[in-house]
Amino acid sequence: MGFVHNPRPVWWRKALFQVHLWTGLILGLILTVVGLTGSIIVFKPELERMSIPHLTHVQPQGERVPVQAMLDTMRRERPNYKLSNLYVYQEPDLAWNFRTTGPHGHRIQVYLNPYTGKIIGEDDFKDHWLDWIYELHEALLLGKPGLTANAIFAWLMVVLSISGLVVWWPGVKHWRFGFRYHRRASWRGQNYDLHKLGGFYAALLLIVVSVTGAYYAFPDAYRRAVAWATAGPATAPTPKSKPREVAAKPTLDEILARAQAAMPGARPMILFLPTNPTAIYSLRMRLPYDWQRTGSNHVYLDQYTGEVIRADYFVNRPLGARIIGVNGPVHFGTFGGDVTRWLWVLLGLMPGVLFVSGVIMYWN
């Protein structure tokens, strides 16, 4: 009750204040960098296209060539490239692109004109500035150790947010003070109000983004925790193909047509190609009510016969699998349209705003 009415003298509130202060001062710069790079990544697909418009955009000219023709061109002209997936664009002015691994192990996007079937060019991500930004955000350019360290920093961001909310609480009689910004105050007072209000309004979302971000360093631990909490599976197993001899394998056009027939009304977004004898064709599908930008549903097809093995609707998956499935969209803000994405851009800037305003408060 002492904390509710008069929080400042409470000993554990004082302890959390010190935790908040020193955690923020020590980790603030790193969290600022991670947040800033995260803001850039939110619009990564658009930035990629803007950086290489001569590869990503085409002039519509009549009917499109069969998708299989583009695959045949890739196999003929890039025989040493390992094909991973194909981005299926419906927009008439966008080139289609295969994501591949080049002979030297680099990720390479190869762009083709869907009206001629010819290769326009390729983009090697080894020295791409956006890939550098992504690696900085994900692992601080340190590989696996950086990924683990970043996850620890993410959980410390959770500590910062929770302790900040505790420190923010002004008491029952003065609760309005916690939401007040004094425009006529000195610059020190306005800086304090900026830190106070910015931290309060951003805290919950920063916790969400931090928890979902740490998943990428410890996916197995997260899945076990979710499976335990939901008393069910946290993954939806991917089916496999049975290797066999067939007269002719299905074309990519047949695969796309059968996938759309298996999930009426859904738009194919990404076609994952089989990479070994037991792999399947997998299509990420987006339904009209789908909240995720690239779709949350999948259709799996046998690579030898083209038979639909399973139409996997997101809403029908076990609860644990759905929780894990929304981790990525929630972390990157790729749900709810552009409004959410711009909100996540602002959210990524908040660690920097809070760090700078916090340092000024400490200096004062």
Side-chain angles (χ1 to χ4, degrees), residues 209-229:
V209 170
S210 299
V211 171
T212 54
Y215 163 83
Y216 295 99
F218 309 110
D220 293 336
Y222 268 65
R223 291 177 187 138
R224 287 194 296 269
V226 169
W228 173 82

Side-chain angles (χ1 to χ4, degrees), residues 1 42 72 95 97 110 151 181 219 225 249 253 260 294 306 315 331 333 346 355 364:
M1 294 301 294
V42 170
D72 294 339
N97 73 82
V110 182
Y181 183 88
K249 288 186 176 183
D253 301 271
Q260 289 185 280
T294 57
V315 295
H331 180 70
L346 295 176
F355 173 56
N364 289 336

Side-chain angles (χ1 to χ4, degrees), residues 236-306:
T238 302
K240 295 183 178 181
S241 296
K242 181 180 179 181
R244 74 201 83 170
E245 293 291 334
V246 293
K249 288 186 176 183
T251 66
L252 289 193
D253 301 271
E254 292 171 333
I255 292 295
L256 286 167
R258 292 175 186 178
Q260 289 185 280
M263 193 171 284
R267 171 184 169 183
M269 301 296 293
I270 307 175
L271 170 59
F272 296 89
L273 304 169
T275 55
N276 61 65
T278 62
I280 44 83
Y281 284 106
S282 171
L283 277 105
R284 184 184 287 270
M285 310 288 285
R286 190 177 192 277
L287 289 163
Y289 57 81
D290 210 325
W291 74 313
Q292 185 178 344
R293 184 176 59 86
T294 57
S296 305
N297 313 279
H298 289 81
V299 176
Y300 302 110
L301 303 96
D302 186 278
Q303 69 161 297
Y304 298 96
T305 65

Side-chain angles (χ1 to χ4, degrees), residues 47-58 93 95 120:
L47 291 172
E48 285 180 0
R49 288 199 288 266
M50 287 175 59
S51 66
I52 48 171
H54 61 291
L55 297 181
T56 60
H57 288 78
V58 297
D93 64 333
I120 303 171

